[in-house]
Amino acid sequence: MNQSAFSLLLSGIIALFISGCSTVKKISATDNNKIRYNGRIAVEDTAATLYWPGSSIKTSFKGTGVRARLRDQRGRNYYNVIIDGDSVYTIKPDSIKRSYVLASGLPKGRHTVELFRRTGWGEGITRFYGFEYDERTKPLSTPAQTRMIEFYGNSITVGAANEDLKGDSGDGLYSNNYLSYGALTARHYNAAYSCIARSGIGLTISWFRQIMTDMYNRFNPFDSTSVWDFSKAEPDIVVINLFQNDNALAEMPDYDQFKYRFGDAAPKADFFIDAYERFVSLIRTHYPNAHIICVLGSMDAVKQGSPWPGYIEKAVSRLQDPKIYTHFFEYLNKEGHPKINDHKKMSESLIRFIDQRVGRWGKGG
């Protein structure tokens, strides 16, 4: 990090306060010409509502600084502040509406600032009311990206505990979706990024009542009547990383969700294969032209002898769709969730696969 970025880091950490400084320009959250949103974000009335991990808000401007007006539901979410493409520091909005300094004292010229949600949707929602710009700063349009990747997954895709290098804490402080394999892959291709993931979720059974087929089409994940409009944007690539939690819970007959989903005995292989085939078919109905990559790993669902990669392969083979693929990440063979370096390796593996098998996006591979 250069001296300028380091200065921004210090000023950003110090400047999390209710701004008393006057500003001459305010851009409302509803001004889509000056703000770029990524992910399933509700923009209505006077605020944008962020639900899902990896949701982001970006502004471009010519000038020296910018603030954001935010209010978090529970004060438990963390956001990366990314200045000119460099993830500089983290903020934790509280439950009172405040104006947060994101950048100040920048060199004169064109800059970008992005707010990126690190944490999962279980931490609650965040409301964004707009940007405030320093005097003599001019907001600029922020063009949309031309390519998109969407991910469906569990805690691995969330990036849960990936910054806890000494343990596997569930505290949101240690989850950084920005450094998850999905976000890394999307940035490699300069693609818009959408992450539909929840820690603990499975395709046939979860650590709670909902499974992915209950959740995948929600706009607001807390509201079963809030349905996402899939026609808003069709990704070029969809990546599905599910079955890790099914793998664990299928061996726990005394667990309440096992009894709720399976009764007294775990289903046979065909049950899981059929469920996976149905889910991929659902995704295909929404995205008829997308490349769909069915991945698994890098936890123990892919260890040697595991039947779960085979279930996925059989499901995909039944679909007989040349734009649906399988790809499995290397087994970590260690306790806990993948850490930052593990996510980097997973991303590199996925990028190699995309380059080799998908090729030029939208051209059939």
Side-chain angles (χ1 to χ4, degrees):
M1 184 181 294
N2 59 33
Q3 185 175 357
S4 173
F6 181 73
S7 298
L8 292 172
L9 169 60
L10 292 178
S11 65
I13 294 172
I14 294 170
L16 299 182
F17 63 103
I18 302 177
S19 175
C21 301
S22 63
T23 55
V24 295
K25 297 183 183 69
K26 292 184 179 181
I27 297 297
S28 167
T30 59
D31 189 344
N32 291 329
N33 292 325
K34 296 293 190 298
I35 299 172
R36 189 179 78 199
Y37 293 102
N38 266 341
R40 294 184 184 177
I41 298 175
V43 182
E44 53 192 359
D45 299 328
T46 61
T49 305
L50 285 73
Y51 308 105
W52 297 94
S55 300
S56 66
I57 307 166
K58 189 171 186 177
T59 181
S60 301
F61 57 92
K62 188 175 183 180
T64 59
V66 63
R67 302 171 180 83
R69 300 188 302 279
L70 302 166
R71 178 170 63 85
D72 197 70
Q73 180 182 12
R74 301 170 185 165
R76 288 167 38 182
N77 281 301
Y78 292 85
Y79 285 81
N80 283 357
V81 178
I82 305 146
I83 301 173
D84 295 334
D86 180 20
S87 183
V88 177
Y89 63 93
T90 301
I91 65 171
K92 184 185 182 186
D94 65 28
S95 57
I96 300 172
K97 182 179 177 181
R98 297 177 183 265
S99 180
Y100 293 85
V101 174
L102 305 183
S104 63
L106 294 173
K108 292 181 179 179
R110 185 181 180 116
H111 300 282
T112 61
V113 172
E114 182 177 12
L115 274 172
F116 187 102
R117 178 166 171 151
R118 296 163 53 105
T119 37
W121 67 261
E123 305 298 340
I125 66 174
T126 305
R127 297 197 188 279
F128 164 75
Y129 297 91
F131 289 115
E132 301 170 341
Y133 301 88
D134 289 352
E135 190 175 2
R136 295 186 295 276
T137 292
K138 179 182 179 182
L140 303 172
S141 62
T142 305
Q145 290 151 298
T146 59
R147 300 193 287 186
M148 176 181 173
I149 310 181
E150 186 160 81
F151 291 79
Y152 292 85
N154 49 45
S155 57
I156 299 172
T157 303
V158 170
N162 62 350
E163 288 194 335
D164 186 1
L165 304 183
K166 296 182 179 180
D168 207 43
S169 173
D171 190 320
L173 172 66
Y174 299 103
S175 296
N176 187 355
N177 188 268
Y178 189 74
L179 296 179
S180 70
Y181 76 94
L184 291 170
T185 301
R187 286 201 299 280
H188 173 83
Y189 292 107
N190 190 27
Y193 172 59
S194 176
C195 180
I196 309 304
R198 182 183 181 185
S199 295
I201 205 163
L203 190 55
T204 63
I205 183 173
S206 303
W207 293 94
F208 36 79
R209 185 57 59 94
Q210 294 85 8
I211 56 177
M212 182 56 83
T213 50
D214 300 323
M215 306 297 305
Y216 86 102
N217 64 343
R218 290 189 187 181
F219 196 166
N220 176 353
F222 297 98
D223 182 359
S224 62
T225 67
S226 177
V227 179
W228 173 247
D229 180 359
F230 285 91
S231 68
K232 283 181 176 291
E234 180 171 356
D236 301 275
I237 294 175
V238 175
V239 178
I240 301 169
N241 190 352
L242 293 165
F243 266 173
Q244 174 61 42
N245 291 305
D246 307 70
N247 159 68
L249 289 162
E251 302 295 327
M252 298 176 63
D254 294 330
Y255 191 65
D256 60 347
Q257 294 305 319
F258 183 103
K259 295 175 181 178
Y260 173 71
R261 291 289 177 183
F262 301 150
D264 296 330
K268 303 297 183 183
D270 279 346
F271 173 85
F272 297 109
I273 297 167
D274 291 344
Y276 200 95
E277 180 183 357
R278 287 194 300 272
F279 182 69
V280 178
S281 296
L282 275 175
I283 298 298
R284 173 56 82 214
T285 62
H286 295 299
Y287 300 136
N289 301 309
H291 297 272
I292 302 174
I293 306 175
C294 301
V295 308
L296 187 62
S298 54
M299 295 174 73
D300 62 358
V302 292
K303 69 181 180 182
Q304 186 173 3
S306 170
W308 297 91
Y311 296 163
I312 294 173
E313 289 176 329
K314 288 179 181 178
V316 170
S317 68
R318 287 180 184 179
L319 292 167
Q320 297 185 341
D321 186 325
K323 294 175 75 173
I324 301 177
Y325 319 83
T326 61
H327 178 65
F328 305 119
F329 297 122
E330 182 180 358
Y331 173 43
L332 290 179
N333 195 22
K334 62 183 180 183
E335 295 293 327
H337 288 85
K339 306 307 176 186
I340 292 172
N341 286 340
D342 303 315
H343 278 274
K344 184 174 184 294
K345 292 176 183 177
M346 293 166 67
S347 173
E348 290 168 349
S349 173
L350 182 55
I351 289 167
R352 285 194 299 270
F353 182 85
I354 291 171
D355 287 346
Q356 293 168 4
R357 296 293 305 277
V358 177
R360 294 181 63 193
W361 294 8
K363 301 298 182 182

